[in-house]
Amino acid sequence: MEIWLNQSYTHDFVLLGIFSHSSTDLVLFSAVMMVFIVALCGNVLLICLIFMDSRLHTPMYFFLSQLSLMDLMLVCTNVPKMAANFLSGRKSISFLGCGMQIGLFVCLVGSEGLLLGLMAYDRYVAISHPLHYPILMSQRVCLQIAGSSWVFGIIDGLIQMVVVMTFPYCGLREVDHFFCEMLSLLKLACIDTSIFENVIFACCVFMLFLPFSIIVASYARILRTVLHMHSAQAVRKALATCSSHLTAVFLFYGAAMFIYLRPKRYRAPSHDKVVSVFYTVLTPMLNPLIYSLRNREVMGALRKGLDHCRIVNHH
């Protein structure tokens, strides 16, 4: 075991990546980097607006700031290393770096999945019990919801990182992905990891279906409330507040379920890599756009911020 660990610690892994140096792939790489920059700026801007504008100091926007923070960390976990490897021509990643990527990725995806689920409960309380909303979604409850999402993700990430990095790895140590994705890494283990893979599959089912069941239950009750509303304006307002969250849910869960809940025989590295780009780069870019462009309060806060900048510049 000691020899295996020594070998594992001293040898780097090779990330085969998603792009070659063909002209088509250069265009695709440039597009991914543009999306990365937009995701970075969009999430930083949304966090700053929510922090600075007192009108956005509500439970929904507090959760949105946490979602943006998770998205920000998610894009920074994998994309900079992928870009550095592509531009330098080096494809290696250290054993420690690989472990860090696995831990952070699992932690952030787990936290975000649970937070999206609990955000559905927030929408349910806001629409179905508006008079009790300040009590049911007090500051303490909001902190507990956000805190439990982070803690759940951190524990999950730490456990999976420790287990995966104690397996012995041998051979060429080539990971057929653009980051240290756990399922791709397990293929390189010198021992049979099928039991651990089955445990991971069970955990993924639980981690995806627990929040998803909260979402389905919350929206079933929201729909029932909406159907009993007599005002067309109230119906429109209720649907508007839910549409942004539902769009984010379908983007995140669609990609996650495609990767982690497919039977092994249908898995192809090329498909996984493309879908991974979708929810490690594209979804974090779309989330702030979905929530801001469809939202009067956020657009109002942005205009207020821009007006303040103009006044400062004139002086």
Side-chain angles (χ1 to χ4, degrees):
M1 182 69 178
E2 200 175 317
I3 296 165
W4 279 343
L5 285 174
N6 285 342
Q7 272 189 317
S8 293
Y9 285 124
T10 52
H11 289 79
D12 290 351
F13 289 100
V14 175
L15 296 172
L16 296 180
I18 192 170
F19 302 115
S20 64
H21 282 270
S22 67
S23 54
T24 310
D25 278 4
L26 280 168
V27 172
L28 288 171
F29 172 75
S30 304
V32 168
M33 291 316 294
M34 283 296 293
V35 170
F36 169 69
I37 291 162
V38 173
L40 217 60
C41 298
N43 284 294
V44 167
L45 180 63
L46 196 56
I47 291 166
C48 291
L49 285 175
I50 291 166
F51 179 74
M52 292 187 316
D53 197 308
S54 57
R55 288 173 301 177
L56 302 181
H57 293 175
T58 63
M60 187 177 94
Y61 292 110
F62 169 69
F63 295 138
L64 190 52
S65 71
Q66 295 301 299
L67 190 70
S68 280
L69 182 60
M70 289 169 186
D71 279 337
L72 195 60
M73 290 173 72
L74 190 60
V75 290
C76 293
T77 299
N78 304 328
V79 181
K81 180 62 181 169
M82 179 201 76
N85 281 7
F86 179 80
L87 295 170
S88 68
R90 289 178 70 247
K91 292 189 170 187
S92 63
I93 183 167
S94 68
F95 181 84
L96 189 63
C98 198
M100 292 284 285
Q101 275 197 343
I102 287 172
L104 283 167
F105 181 76
V106 172
C107 161
L108 294 165
V109 169
S111 297
E112 190 165 328
L114 187 59
L115 185 64
L116 279 170
L118 294 169
M119 281 170 79
Y121 172 73
D122 168 66
R123 294 296 81 219
Y124 155 67
V125 175
I127 291 164
S128 300
H129 303 285
L131 297 176
H132 298 113
Y133 186 72
I135 302 154
L136 292 171
M137 297 303 293
S138 63
Q139 191 180 17
R140 185 164 151 265
V141 172
C142 291
L143 289 170
Q144 283 173 343
I145 286 174
S148 63
S149 298
W150 279 107
V151 169
F152 178 77
I154 289 165
I155 291 169
D156 188 41
L158 279 171
I159 291 168
Q160 292 195 33
M161 178 184 74
V162 169
V163 174
V164 170
M165 300 325 281
T166 51
F167 285 139
Y169 295 96
C170 45
L172 292 172
R173 299 162 74 90
E174 290 182 342
V175 182
D176 194 3
H177 219 293
F178 64 89
F179 68 98
C180 272
E181 199 265 336
M182 187 175 53
L183 296 177
S184 303
L185 193 68
L186 289 175
K187 291 173 187 172
L188 309 179
C190 303
I191 56 168
D192 181 26
T193 59
S194 55
I195 294 170
F196 178 66
E197 285 181 55
N198 290 333
V199 170
I200 290 298
F201 180 77
C203 286
C204 287
V205 169
F206 174 74
M207 280 175 68
L208 288 169
F209 282 107
L210 171 70
F212 201 68
S213 60
I214 297 169
I215 291 163
V216 171
S218 298
Y219 277 103
R221 294 188 166 215
I222 286 168
L223 188 62
R224 196 171 68 183
T225 305
V226 167
L227 291 172
H228 286 98
M229 284 178 177
H230 301 295
S231 160
Q233 191 182 352
V235 170
R236 272 199 302 274
K237 193 180 174 187
L239 293 174
T241 60
C242 295
S243 61
S244 299
H245 178 255
L246 271 176
T247 309
V249 164
F250 283 122
L251 285 170
F252 179 85
Y253 280 96
M257 285 176 178
F258 178 81
I259 288 184
Y260 294 107
L261 299 185
R262 273 180 308 156
K264 224 173 185 177
R265 62 181 176 276
Y266 296 121
R267 282 183 196 157
S270 56
H271 294 164
D272 285 356
K273 283 192 266 191
V274 171
V275 178
S276 291
V277 167
F278 187 84
Y279 84 97
T280 57
V281 192
L282 200 62
T283 305
M285 179 205 78
L286 290 171
N287 278 347
L289 294 177
I290 290 163
Y291 276 98
S292 58
L293 296 176
R294 289 177 157 197
N295 203 301
R296 279 186 203 160
E297 284 115 334
V298 174
M299 294 308 284
L302 183 60
R303 276 194 291 272
K304 187 180 164 189
L306 291 171
D307 290 342
H308 181 72
C309 288
R310 281 197 206 102
I311 292 162
V312 169
N313 287 337
H314 281 308
H315 285 299

